[in-house]
Amino acid sequence: MKNPRKPILRQIKGVDHLNVERRIYDLGLPHRAVTVYCYLCDRSNKKGECFPSAKTIAQDLSLSRRTVFRALHELLEKGLIEKQPRLRDNGGSSSNLYRLTDVPKEVDNNV
C-alpha cells in the first residue's frame, strides 16, 4: 500500500526545504528538534502551515510530550518556526498553528 503522505522536504511558499536537509545540521540543534522540524515539514500545507497537537507529534514520533515541547521551543528560538495559538468557537484552546520559516543561509558556527 502506498504511503499517502507528502515528501518530507519540498518547496513551500518560497522556503527551499530541499536544501534544508544539509543546512539544518549546521545549526547545532539537538536531534529531537531536527526530527520535529522534519515532521512539521511533512505535515505542512503549501503555505508552510500545520497544526498537529504536541500529543499527536509525540505519538507519531515515539517521543514524550515534554521532549516535543522542548524541540518546539528550540525551533522557535532559532526562528525556524512561528507559533500561533488557535481557539475553538466556544473559546476553548485548540492545537497551535505552526508556520515554517526558512533555515538561515549563513550559519554562525559559534552557536
Side-chain angles (χ1 to χ4, degrees):
M1 179 182 239
K2 279 188 171 183
N3 186 346
R5 295 180 180 171
K6 302 173 233 163
I8 289 178
L9 303 173
R10 65 189 188 285
Q11 183 75 20
I12 301 174
K13 193 183 168 193
V15 179
D16 189 2
H17 289 283
L18 295 175
N19 292 324
V20 166
E21 69 180 298
R22 290 191 186 104
R23 290 185 288 159
I24 192 102
Y25 299 109
D26 296 334
L27 297 174
L29 290 168
H31 69 277
R32 65 180 171 245
V34 173
T35 302
V36 170
Y37 185 75
C38 288
Y39 179 88
L40 295 175
C41 287
D42 186 48
R43 298 297 185 268
S44 65
N45 61 20
K46 290 181 181 179
K47 294 179 181 179
E49 299 173 339
C50 59
F51 42 90
S53 68
K55 179 181 177 182
T56 298
I57 297 170
Q59 287 174 341
D60 287 353
L61 296 178
S62 299
L63 300 172
S64 71
R65 285 182 57 224
R66 184 68 189 126
T67 297
V68 170
F69 287 128
R70 282 189 199 106
L72 291 169
H73 178 75
E74 291 158 349
L75 294 171
L76 285 163
E77 278 187 336
K78 290 285 186 178
L80 296 171
I81 62 171
E82 297 171 350
K83 179 175 85 170
Q84 179 180 345
R86 296 184 324 136
L87 297 176
R88 300 182 191 281
D89 291 337
N90 66 5
S93 295
S94 184
S95 61
N96 291 315
L97 172 74
Y98 298 102
R99 187 172 296 111
L100 301 172
T101 62
D102 200 1
V103 175
K105 291 192 188 299
E106 301 206 8
V107 177
D108 181 3
N109 290 326
N110 296 327
V111 177

